[in-house]
Amino acid sequence: MIHDPSQYAKRDPLSFAKGAFEALTTMLKGISVQRHGGTFAISASFPWLVFGRAIQDVQASDYTTKERWLKAIYQDALHKFQTSPDNATLYLPAPSAAGVTTINASAGVGGGVHEAGHAICDCANGRFPTYEQFRTKVGRHLEITIPYSDCNLPKWVNVTADMRLEPGMALSYPEVEHRFHAIQTWCHELEAEVRGQEVPSDFMMALRDSGKGWVSEESKAVYDQYGQEARDLVDYLRPIWQELKPTDTDWESSAHLPVYVAVEVINALHKLLKEPKGQGKGKGKGQGQGKGKGDPQEGQGKGNPQEGKGDPKEGKDPQQEAGKSPMSLEDIKRLLEGQGQALDPNSAMKQEVNKNKQQLDHELYIPNGSKPIYRKFI
């Protein structure tokens, strides 16, 4: 059936998920759930995610020692945290916004549960870490010679946080896993026109998909459409990003991982720029089963980052591999300049609302739409 945006007033796909959204209020004790604005969003103070923005904003070149730089980052993050909302609010798209898009009820629930995952897994309004905790878990991995401000670090942290929270929510609430498959399929449909076009975006999308691990016939077909270099780089970095996969529900002890992993990925990419490109391009050596460069979603002895049987810790550390870049240095530079996008429920909804409302002969009214509510990691 062809989607007709003009019929948005008669179509609110999220209304069919009323019971599921009511369950979110039980899941999220102390967090308000509202239907306002044009997208899925969570507004809260995040004790660890806020460091992504602080590292971006506080430049090492302004400080004479690493210790002074780290303390400045910590103070900046603390200030951002203290000036963020005291109360957490989960926003679901207003009926008019949902109606103008192609999202279905199951994917709509997936979008809501995804944002709820930020509140739960990223410890919304939780305890801010001490300086020593920050220095030990994240700060010591920062390299003073790397310009983190150039790469749009908050974008990377958002992707790594998503890679941790969706498997985490499925671990806590197994019944929501199929909702994540639905929202993934919807995002894939919206990305169809750009898939396979730009290496940086292919990499970000492949990294997102591999980290979340929602494998189906649909996702395998999509993964095959990402460029080979993008898939190879995801395989190459697997020893870093696989640490995001939760094994328990002690969220507080692992809430630093999205920032830590984002930093380590950036560090590894910078290391590749310093090494001459060798013979390792496109081979995906030593990652997981490490026997080829095939589709990491298939699990057929091809270095699958999601289903491989080998011990992921046995793969070679990208930080130790010299001259083994699986991607052109020019494309790595583009990644480090902040290029490349991968949709999530928040950005996917905003993108389709903005696209489809252009087909209307009148202004689409979205309650609170004049001041969109985005995820607040600061």
Side-chain angles (χ1 to χ4, degrees):
M1 180 181 296
I2 298 177
H3 177 62
D4 182 1
S6 69
Q7 300 300 306
Y8 69 89
K10 302 177 182 179
R11 178 186 182 275
D12 175 16
L14 273 60
S15 66
F16 298 104
K18 184 174 184 292
F21 287 132
E22 288 177 348
L24 282 177
T25 62
T26 301
M27 182 188 299
L28 300 171
K29 295 181 179 179
I31 297 179
S32 172
V33 179
Q34 301 182 22
R35 289 202 68 181
H36 287 294
T39 189
F40 299 96
I42 183 77
S43 176
S45 301
F46 293 93
W48 279 102
L49 296 186
V50 69
F51 281 97
R53 178 67 63 183
I55 295 168
Q56 169 90 4
D57 292 347
V58 181
Q59 299 190 26
S61 58
D62 294 335
Y63 299 88
T64 56
T65 67
K66 181 175 180 178
E67 190 66 18
R68 289 181 179 179
W69 176 46
L70 293 184
K71 288 181 178 179
I73 290 172
Y74 181 80
Q75 290 300 320
D76 186 82
L78 178 60
H79 173 73
K80 287 177 166 63
F81 180 78
Q82 291 175 336
T83 54
S84 294
D86 292 329
N87 299 312
T89 303
L90 171 65
Y91 293 93
L92 305 173
S96 55
V100 81
T101 71
T102 57
I103 198 168
N104 59 39
S106 184
V109 174
V113 175
H114 175 100
E115 296 299 332
H118 279 295
I120 293 173
C121 301
D122 295 319
C123 305
N125 299 99
R127 183 175 55 185
F128 194 77
T130 64
Y131 173 73
E132 186 58 29
Q133 288 173 325
F134 159 68
R135 192 188 66 79
T136 302
K137 294 185 175 183
V138 173
R140 67 188 180 92
H141 302 284
L142 292 170
E143 297 186 19
I144 200 165
T145 58
I146 291 180
Y148 297 99
S149 59
D150 293 345
C151 67
N152 191 2
L153 188 61
K155 177 190 72 174
W156 291 85
V157 172
N158 186 47
V159 172
T160 54
D162 289 355
M163 291 162 64
R164 171 175 170 268
L165 77 85
E166 286 195 7
M169 288 295 283
L171 185 64
S172 295
Y173 309 97
E175 66 276 12
V176 306
E177 181 173 329
H178 72 285
R179 307 295 192 183
F180 290 134
H181 279 273
I183 195 70
Q184 174 177 260
T185 297
W186 182 59
C187 287
H188 284 165
E189 291 171 353
L190 298 183
E191 292 171 336
E193 294 182 357
V194 300
R195 199 157 46 239
Q197 301 300 311
E198 294 288 339
V199 174
S201 287
D202 273 8
F203 169 77
M204 298 303 293
M205 292 185 284
L207 178 65
R208 172 203 62 195
D209 292 355
S210 295
K212 291 182 179 180
W214 307 130
V215 181
S216 65
E217 291 305 312
E218 180 271 340
S219 73
K220 291 178 184 179
V222 165
Y223 206 87
D224 278 338
Q225 296 173 28
Y226 299 138
Q228 188 64 57
E229 284 195 359
R231 288 182 282 163
D232 287 345
L233 185 57
V234 170
D235 287 345
Y236 179 85
L237 296 170
R238 181 178 188 242
I240 297 175
W241 60 256
Q242 60 87 32
E243 293 189 50
L244 292 165
K245 187 174 180 61
T247 57
D248 57 49
T249 57
D250 182 6
W251 305 123
E252 186 175 6
S253 68
S254 62
H256 68 287
L257 285 177
V259 181
Y260 158 73
V261 168
V263 166
E264 286 291 74
V265 166
I266 298 301
N267 291 349
L269 294 179
H270 271 278
K271 184 175 178 61
L272 286 175
L273 289 183
K274 298 177 181 179
E275 302 291 352
K277 194 162 184 176
Q279 302 300 315
K281 176 183 176 182
K283 299 301 182 182
K285 289 186 178 181
Q287 312 306 323
Q289 297 179 68
K291 296 182 180 179
K293 60 176 182 178
D295 181 356
Q297 299 238 353
E298 292 182 357
Q300 302 295 324
K302 299 182 181 181
N304 184 340
Q306 299 170 350
E307 301 178 326
K309 296 179 181 179
D311 182 354
K313 295 291 187 180
E314 293 179 359
K316 295 179 181 178
D317 182 354
Q319 301 275 20
Q320 303 301 321
E321 285 280 83
K324 299 287 187 178
S325 176
M327 181 181 285
S328 74
L329 299 187
E330 184 59 37
D331 284 326
I332 291 176
K333 288 178 182 177
R334 293 169 65 196
L335 279 172
L336 291 172
E337 290 170 353
Q339 295 187 39
Q341 298 293 328
L343 292 179
D344 57 25
N346 174 286
S347 58
M349 178 62 70
K350 286 188 292 186
Q351 173 180 298
E352 195 169 33
V353 168
N354 289 333
K355 175 184 177 181
N356 290 349
K357 72 180 184 180
Q358 303 303 320
Q359 302 179 38
L360 305 179
D361 60 3
H362 59 277
E363 182 68 22
L364 179 67
Y365 174 69
I366 301 175
N368 203 35
S370 61
K371 295 181 179 179
I373 302 296
Y374 304 137
R375 274 197 201 101
K376 294 185 73 69
F377 288 169
I378 61 173

